[in-house]
Amino acid sequence: MKFAYLFLFFISNIYAQNQYPKTDFRSPLDIPMQLSGNFGELRANHFHAGLDYKTKKVEGLPVYAVADGYVSRIKISLFGYGKAIYITHKNGYTTVYGHLQKASPIIEKYIKENQYKNKTFEIELFLKPDELPVNQSDVIAFSGNTGGSEGPHLHFEIRDSKTEKIINPMLFGFDSNLNDTKTPSIVSLLAYPIGDNSVVNESLNPSILNVSLQKDGSYVSDKVIANGKLGFGVNTYDLSNYSWDKNGIYKSSVFLNGKQIYGYQFDTFAFDESRYVNALIDYSRYKKLSQRVQKLFSTQPFPLSILQPFQENGIVSVNSNRNQVCRIEISDFHNNKSIISIPILFSDASATDVSAQKKTPFFIKYNQEYNYEKENWSVYFPANTFYEDFYFGFNVTDKTLILPNETIPVHTNFLVSVQDSISSEMDKQKMFIANFDNKKWKYCPTKLKNNVFSTYTKNWGQYQLMKDTTAPKIIISKAIEGKWITNQKTLQFIISDDLSGIKEYNGYLNGKWILFEYDLISKKITHNFDDAVFDDGKNDLKLIVIDNLGNSTIFETQFFRKK
């Protein structure tokens, strides 16, 4: 029966590689494919959902529709993918193009018409098949650096149009565009004791294992001397032939004495699974050392579909004098493979390194709900907020809630509340809960009901109840008061707010709303005179900026311009 199950899994794995059309899509760019990020790559709080195409460190490269279809969705956002276009294709898939500088003229015209209609820069539009049809190789946009981008590039995705699950573009033949003969690099290998009674290399804590490269290109690690249960973790990355960007791996497999006991493969996953990246890695090590070690075992179940179903979950039991050998295989999509052999020996020696997790009066079991209260603060955790059990740090000092649990990953929101029966009703309208993230206090979206302020959050650290009565700042980039600016292409301002942050801004020219594009990184808003909403001659400009507590600043000026 077990053989039949493994056979079916093997067949389904082969099918996963071959069920997608290999020749339907062209490249979205006309330059050689070089990637700064690949599918499934480990990112902060998520798996990377597509391919990041390098664009020669510049913006403005033509972006092409990879196949016939229609623009089904357009989203303009300050965060995430910034300016993004979605195209639905006849073969049942949707492609996504993110961090764009701007759309092609026809699509850009459609976007601006809707931005002016709705009087907003950020907008999300869902289109019908007959509104903006496109053909393969049509220029749909130009590459950029908008949203959460850290440099010019094109983010490209493929999704199932019905389920919206994200699929590895390499499965559609894009692997043929990338020259890759390099095996994944092994940065470090760790052995983890699992449970209170397990000892690995005379330690109750994870142990770094030295690895040596063999003549055949494989690796052999130091011997692991253990008693009880253990698992392994690896810090690894992959390179392609013409790029030094450290990309993610495609597949990992763990074998014990020749039998596979763990594995995962980045073919497809759903968006609501993405945060499970924090359960897949050694999160504590990541927070302390900024190292993403992928745990090749799991002690508690979590619904991540890339994980292959093995009874052992990657856990090795060492409880006799029988020697064992663990083999780890790390592969990229082109089947370049790094192999590590790990000899495992039994020993009943006690641990000499016995430093353990700091215990507190509060212990949380991940699958139960909890509510903690002290003074006027309270914290409520729904069941399954976390991945594993842990000792919880909780205190209130000088009216500050302290949650010092930065090495514990949080999966879903928990509730932080504080009661204030002293402040006046007028003051309360300007108050909010703030979170300190090691650099500055940040605004948390806050609700007030019956003298209780509350916010939903995934962040540890310190919390305070703060008051914001300071209005935002507006600085014009180039003075225009009373001037003729016929040759000037744009109006540009820097807008900022020191505490609660900007909620909204609106510009008006001669009493009519005008579009200002907002760049979150530079804090600049820009109006393009190509929108042609100005009058011939004198123009009156008004800009209103409002923060999250309702404090506002108004900037007014006038200028002259000829059409």
Side-chain angles (χ1 to χ4, degrees):
M1 192 67 184
K2 186 180 291 186
F3 172 78
Y5 173 80
L6 290 175
F7 177 75
L8 287 173
F9 177 78
F10 177 72
I11 293 298
S12 66
N13 196 35
I14 293 177
Y15 179 69
Q17 289 277 350
N18 292 283
Q19 65 175 311
Y20 303 102
K22 303 288 186 181
T23 58
D24 285 9
F25 297 137
R26 58 153 288 169
S27 173
L29 296 175
D30 263 348
I31 59 175
M33 183 189 207
Q34 288 189 322
L35 299 180
S36 59
N38 62 353
F39 186 83
E41 192 169 283
L42 310 180
R43 300 284 180 89
N45 297 316
H46 69 283
F47 299 111
H48 190 234
L51 304 178
D52 281 348
Y53 281 78
K54 300 175 77 170
T55 57
K56 299 182 178 180
K57 299 182 179 180
V58 299
E59 299 182 40
L61 298 186
V63 177
Y64 300 93
V66 298
D68 294 353
Y70 70 96
V71 177
S72 55
R73 182 183 176 193
I74 298 170
K75 187 173 183 180
I76 311 296
S77 174
L78 298 180
F79 306 94
Y81 296 163
K83 298 182 180 181
I85 293 174
Y86 300 67
I87 298 178
T88 296
H89 305 281
K90 299 174 183 178
N91 58 6
Y93 301 102
T94 296
T95 51
V96 184
Y97 313 76
H99 306 305
L100 303 172
Q101 181 190 68
K102 61 182 178 179
S104 63
I106 293 176
I107 301 174
E108 188 73 11
K109 181 175 181 290
Y110 181 89
I111 294 171
K112 283 203 172 184
E113 285 176 351
N114 280 275
Q115 287 173 320
Y116 272 93
K117 178 182 177 181
N118 292 279
K119 297 182 179 180
T120 179
F121 168 58
E122 290 191 278
I123 197 167
E124 186 169 16
L125 305 168
F126 295 91
L127 290 76
K128 297 178 181 178
D130 60 347
E131 291 187 84
L132 286 176
V134 295
N135 296 317
Q136 187 178 55
S137 297
D138 282 353
V139 175
I140 59 165
F142 298 89
S143 65
N145 187 31
T146 56
S149 175
E150 296 180 354
H153 73 283
L154 172 69
H155 176 85
F156 176 74
E157 281 180 26
I158 299 179
R159 303 182 184 180
D160 184 296
S161 297
K162 290 184 178 179
T163 67
E164 294 191 351
K165 291 189 74 173
I166 320 118
I167 307 167
N168 192 336
M170 295 298 185
L171 294 167
F172 293 82
F174 284 85
D175 57 314
S176 63
N177 299 329
L178 185 68
N179 194 352
D180 183 2
T181 59
K182 294 184 177 181
T183 59
S185 298
I186 307 299
V187 179
S188 59
L189 176 69
L190 283 82
Y192 292 80
I194 298 173
D196 295 336
N197 299 319
S198 296
V199 179
V200 174
N201 292 344
E202 298 186 353
S203 177
L204 300 179
N205 297 295
S207 299
I208 296 177
L209 305 176
N210 295 317
V211 295
S212 56
L213 182 64
Q214 306 300 295
K215 291 182 179 180
D216 63 357
S218 66
Y219 296 87
V220 174
S221 84
D222 292 342
K223 293 178 181 179
V224 174
I225 313 298
N227 182 10
K229 295 181 178 181
L230 73 145
F232 295 99
V234 62
N235 185 1
T236 180
Y237 64 86
D238 187 47
L239 299 174
S240 57
N241 287 19
Y242 302 110
S243 175
W244 291 103
D245 289 272
K246 296 179 180 180
N247 297 152
I249 64 168
Y250 170 62
K251 179 181 179 181
S252 71
S253 303
V254 180
F255 300 84
L256 183 64
N257 304 322
K259 175 190 172 185
Q260 188 168 1
I261 61 171
Y262 186 83
Y264 56 81
Q265 183 169 305
F266 282 106
D267 286 331
T268 180
F269 59 88
F271 272 102
D272 59 5
E273 297 180 74
S274 197
R275 197 172 175 88
Y276 285 114
V277 65
N278 293 332
L280 189 70
I281 66 173
D282 181 345
Y283 189 82
S284 176
R285 191 175 190 86
Y286 168 62
K287 296 301 288 186
K288 293 175 181 176
L289 303 174
S290 298
Q291 297 176 0
R292 287 192 177 97
V293 173
Q294 303 177 44
K295 294 190 298 185
L296 304 179
F297 65 95
S298 57
T299 57
Q300 301 288 356
F302 55 94
L304 179 57
S305 61
I306 65 167
L307 295 176
Q308 299 169 5
F310 292 102
Q311 185 177 0
E312 298 86 351
N313 291 324
I315 297 174
V316 179
S317 295
V318 185
N319 49 25
S320 70
N321 288 322
R322 178 192 175 199
N323 294 343
Q324 302 184 78
V325 176
C326 187
R327 185 175 84 253
I328 296 173
E329 296 182 357
I330 305 296
S331 309
D332 63 21
F333 194 88
H334 292 78
N335 205 33
N336 302 306
K337 188 180 298 183
S338 293
I339 300 174
I340 312 170
S341 295
I342 309 169
I344 304 171
L345 284 68
F346 170 79
S347 172
D348 58 3
S350 300
T352 56
D353 178 6
V354 295
S355 58
Q357 181 183 14
K358 183 179 179 180
K359 295 185 178 181
T360 73
F362 315 105
F363 185 73
I364 287 182
K365 293 187 177 181
Y366 77 98
N367 58 355
Q368 297 182 18
E369 64 177 337
Y370 294 86
N371 190 72
Y372 296 98
E373 296 180 356
K374 186 173 181 180
E375 296 181 14
N376 58 333
W377 287 92
S378 66
V379 184
Y380 169 69
F381 300 109
N384 298 306
T385 300
F386 311 103
Y387 305 116
E388 295 182 339
D389 305 343
F390 67 100
Y391 284 96
F392 170 58
F394 170 77
N395 198 8
V396 176
T397 304
D398 296 328
K399 298 182 180 181
T400 301
L401 172 66
I402 302 172
L403 303 176
N405 307 282
E406 287 80 4
T407 61
I408 304 298
V410 180
H411 187 69
T412 58
N413 285 325
F414 58 90
L415 182 65
V416 172
S417 302
V418 58
Q419 186 172 16
D420 181 1
S421 303
I422 301 174
S423 300
S424 68
E425 291 302 315
M426 184 177 295
D427 284 344
K428 287 176 185 176
Q429 299 308 310
K430 298 295 182 181
M431 295 170 69
F432 66 98
I433 297 175
N435 174 234
F436 190 75
D437 69 346
N438 297 321
K439 293 182 180 180
K440 60 182 293 188
W441 289 99
K442 290 188 175 181
Y443 168 82
C444 299
T446 303
K447 291 185 177 181
L448 172 61
K449 184 178 180 180
N450 298 329
N451 296 326
V452 176
F453 295 86
S454 61
T455 185
Y456 284 96
T457 181
K458 294 186 179 78
N459 298 325
W460 298 117
Q462 300 179 45
Y463 287 87
Q464 282 188 4
L465 191 57
M466 289 190 168
K467 183 178 177 182
D468 183 5
T469 58
T470 304
K473 297 176 182 177
I474 301 176
I475 301 174
I476 190 168
S477 297
K478 184 179 180 181
I480 59 173
E481 177 74 30
K483 295 182 179 180
W484 283 90
I485 57 170
T486 301
N487 296 323
Q488 192 167 313
K489 294 181 178 180
T490 63
L491 288 172
Q492 196 168 75
F493 294 83
I494 297 174
I495 61 175
S496 61
D497 188 77
D498 290 337
L499 195 51
S500 65
I502 293 170
K503 181 180 181 180
E504 63 176 297
Y505 65 93
N506 288 285
Y508 300 90
L509 203 54
N510 305 315
K512 297 179 180 179
W513 186 90
I514 59 172
L515 175 65
F516 275 95
E517 296 199 3
Y518 188 12
D519 180 74
L520 194 64
I521 297 175
S522 65
K523 299 180 180 179
K524 290 181 179 179
I525 59 171
T526 304
H527 171 70
N528 196 317
F529 279 120
D530 287 344
D531 292 358
V533 294
F534 59 90
D535 288 343
D536 197 10
K538 180 185 174 183
N539 288 266
D540 294 314
L541 175 68
K542 178 188 284 189
L543 178 61
I544 305 172
V545 181
I546 305 172
D547 69 16
N548 281 291
L549 271 296
N551 303 301
S552 64
T553 298
I554 299 176
F555 177 94
E556 294 183 277
T557 189
Q558 59 180 224
F559 62 88
F560 297 86
R561 186 179 177 91
K562 288 185 179 180
K563 291 187 177 180

